[in-house]
């Protein structure tokens, strides 16, 4: 089997350099790493996971080639999505229903990565949806249609991680009321323990009064490293441009990084092409009754008391 070249998208030279320097990638060892992971998955009675080369290598890269961390993350990825389908897309996904929420454009990925060879940029605009009609939980779930395509296909994001810009202009009390501690916890645990994506920063702009309360609730749930990557800019755009130059924002913000309505249309086409992927997803997942060894302590994992289990995630 190892004589067959693994079917993995070749990284462009700049990204390959980063993967070797920062993610501990050893290109000639890729075959062995994938084989080891595949062998391990065969021995997990509770997991039915995808095992294609690209899926496995994306997780390896997202975990800096630590085999143990990769196993942990793949396990969590299937376990959490199977158990909490109202928070994370997994089974019986109704693409058309989710697309309606996606089209509101509250969460969109931009085409040019930062500095053109850096992290993928996500733009979140809370006020783009009406909180009397939808919850942020529903909006976030729908965005996973796009997130999954990124996890599968976006080498810039897998290698360089991502940054998020959260525009809180025009948000109402209704929006804020939806950011409950338990919802925030569902997001942070998934981000830190299940996704092969390294968050490189979250920038809050147009922050209204009262934002601190929510921010202070959310912050302690993150690892110390992630806490140091949260930037609150108030209404000081210049302070944000120092880290994310204006040209990397959408044209609606005076930048050169796509127009939001057009990006929504482009993503919609990509999402529609993923229908069969979501059909196939019904064949994968986790069955806790078959797990060997310690059961997952879900209560403790999402409990809001005490300090958050800290994983050193980059």
């Amino acid at each position: 089997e190892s004589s067959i070249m693994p079917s993995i998208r070749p990284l462009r030279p700049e990204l390959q350099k980063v993967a070797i320097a920062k993610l501990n990638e050893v290109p000639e060892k890729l075959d062995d790493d994938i084989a080891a992971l595949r062998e391990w998955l065969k021995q997990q009675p509770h997991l039915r996971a995808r095992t294609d080369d690209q899926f496995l290598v994306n997780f390896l890269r997202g975990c800096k080639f630590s085999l143990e961390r990769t196993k942990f993350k793949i396990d969590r990825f299937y376990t959490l999505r199977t158990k909490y389908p109202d928070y994370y897309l997994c089974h019986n996904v109704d693409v058309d229903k989710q697309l309606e929420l996606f089209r509101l454009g509250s969460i969109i990925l931009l085409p040019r990565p930062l500095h053109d060879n850096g992290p993928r940029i996500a733009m979140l605009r809370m006020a783009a949806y009406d909180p009397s009609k939808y919850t942020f939980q529903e909006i976030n779930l729908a965005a996973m249609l796009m997130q999954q395509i990124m996890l599968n296909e976006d080498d810039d994001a897998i290698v360089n991680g991502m940054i998020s810009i959260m525009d809180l202009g025009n948000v109402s009390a209704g929006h804020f009321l939806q950011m409950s501690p338990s919802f925030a916890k569902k997001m942070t645990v998934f981000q830190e323990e299940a996704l092969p994506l390294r968050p490189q920063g979250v920038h809050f702009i147009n922050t209204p009064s009262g934002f601190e309360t929510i921010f202070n609730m959310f912050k302690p749930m993150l690892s110390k490293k992630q806490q140091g990557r949260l930037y609150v800019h108030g209404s000081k755009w210049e302070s944000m441009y120092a880290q994310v130059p204006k040209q990397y924002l959408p044209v609606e913000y005076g930048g050169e990084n796509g127009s939001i309505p057009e990006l929504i249309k482009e993503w919609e086409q990509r999402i529609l092409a993923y229908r069969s992927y979501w059909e196939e997803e019904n064949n994968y997942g986790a069955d806790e009754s078959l797990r060997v060894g310690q059961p997952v302590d879900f209560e403790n994992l999402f409990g809001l008391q005490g300090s958050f289990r800290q994983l050193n995630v980059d």
Side-chain angles (χ1 to χ4, degrees), residues 219-283:
K219 196 174 174 178
M221 297 178 184
L222 296 168
S223 66
K224 283 281 176 275
K225 187 183 275 184
Q226 291 306 331
Q227 288 182 29
R229 292 176 176 170
L230 302 174
Y231 307 95
V232 181
H233 299 287
S235 53
K236 301 187 186 74
W237 287 89
E238 291 305 320
S239 131
M240 190 174 82
Y241 296 154
Q243 290 169 287
V244 184
K246 190 175 183 177
Q247 66 179 32
Y248 292 101
L249 298 180
V251 293
E252 288 77 8
Y253 289 82
E256 302 162 17
N257 206 351
S259 155
I260 292 171
E262 285 170 26
L263 293 175
I264 293 169
K265 287 205 180 77
E266 284 170 27
W267 272 107
E268 184 173 338
Q269 292 313 305
R270 293 178 71 179
I271 287 165
L272 287 169
Y274 253 66
R275 268 188 207 282
S276 58
Y277 180 90
W278 291 109
E279 284 292 316
E280 288 164 19
E281 258 326 82
N282 293 321
N283 303 317

Side-chain angles (χ1 to χ4, degrees), residues 168-205:
L168 294 170
N170 303 318
V171 296
S172 64
H175 287 103
F176 277 152
L177 288 170
Q178 297 178 350
M179 291 301 280
S180 68
S182 66
F183 170 70
K185 189 80 173 183
K186 288 283 190 306
M187 294 306 100
T188 54
V189 170
F190 192 65
Q191 177 90 66
E192 297 204 336
E193 302 200 2
L195 289 183
L197 267 191
R198 294 157 36 248
Q200 300 297 309
V202 182
H203 296 269
F204 298 91
I205 189 80

Side-chain angles (χ1 to χ4, degrees), residues 101-130:
L101 281 79
F102 175 78
R103 277 191 203 103
L104 297 169
S106 254
I107 305 178
I108 195 84
L109 293 168
L110 307 180
R112 285 172 66 192
L114 186 62
H115 307 306
D116 296 311
N117 192 41
R120 174 64 57 209
I121 305 168
M123 187 92 210
L124 290 85
R125 300 174 306 145
M126 290 290 276
Y129 80 93
D130 177 350

Side-chain angles (χ1 to χ4, degrees), residues 43-257:
Q43 292 158 23
Q44 306 310 306
H46 68 293
L47 287 181
R48 293 189 315 285
R50 290 181 184 264
T51 56
D52 54 282
D53 290 353
Q54 189 71 56
F55 178 84
L56 298 178
V57 90
N58 289 347
F59 269 90
L60 282 162
R61 284 172 177 153
C63 299
K64 294 188 164 179
F65 282 85
S66 152
L67 208 54
E68 289 317 300
R69 218 160 88 196
T70 305
K71 292 171 183 177
F72 178 86
K73 278 211 159 182
I74 291 177
D75 192 322
R76 279 285 199 263
F77 178 73
Y78 283 108
T79 300
L80 296 180
R81 287 163 63 245
T82 303
K83 187 162 175 75
Y84 300 104
D86 295 343
Y87 289 92
Y88 322 114
L89 285 189
C90 184
H91 297 141
N92 308 314
V93 173
D94 182 339
V95 173
D96 298 300
K97 180 180 151 218
Q98 300 297 343
L99 255 177
E100 278 177 42
L101 281 79
F102 175 78
R103 277 191 203 103
L104 297 169
S106 254
I107 305 178
I108 195 84
L109 293 168
L110 307 180
R112 285 172 66 192
L114 186 62
H115 307 306
D116 296 311
N117 192 41
R120 174 64 57 209
I121 305 168
M123 187 92 210
L124 290 85
R125 300 174 306 145
M126 290 290 276
Y129 80 93
D130 177 350
S132 68
K133 289 191 184 150
Y134 308 104
T135 64
F136 189 60
Q137 183 180 326
E138 292 173 314
I139 295 290
N140 193 69
L141 188 68
M144 291 188 176
L145 291 171
M146 173 177 63
Q147 182 186 57
Q148 192 56 53
I149 298 176
M150 169 177 68
L151 293 178
N152 294 349
E153 301 183 11
D154 186 350
D155 291 324
D156 289 276
I158 294 287
V159 172
N160 284 317
M162 73 180 290
I163 60 166
S164 304
I165 297 168
M166 195 146 198
D167 178 1
L168 294 170
N170 303 318
V171 296
S172 64
H175 287 103
F176 277 152
L177 288 170
Q178 297 178 350
M179 291 301 280
S180 68
S182 66
F183 170 70
K185 189 80 173 183
K186 288 283 190 306
M187 294 306 100
T188 54
V189 170
F190 192 65
Q191 177 90 66
E192 297 204 336
E193 302 200 2
L195 289 183
L197 267 191
R198 294 157 36 248
Q200 300 297 309
V202 182
H203 296 269
F204 298 91
I205 189 80
N206 289 333
T207 48
S209 59
F211 172 70
E212 282 65 36
T213 316
I214 296 212
F215 184 73
N216 294 332
M217 162 193 92
F218 171 80
K219 196 174 174 178
M221 297 178 184
L222 296 168
S223 66
K224 283 281 176 275
K225 187 183 275 184
Q226 291 306 331
Q227 288 182 29
R229 292 176 176 170
L230 302 174
Y231 307 95
V232 181
H233 299 287
S235 53
K236 301 187 186 74
W237 287 89
E238 291 305 320
S239 131
M240 190 174 82
Y241 296 154
Q243 290 169 287
V244 184
K246 190 175 183 177
Q247 66 179 32
Y248 292 101
L249 298 180
V251 293
E252 288 77 8
Y253 289 82
E256 302 162 17
N257 206 351

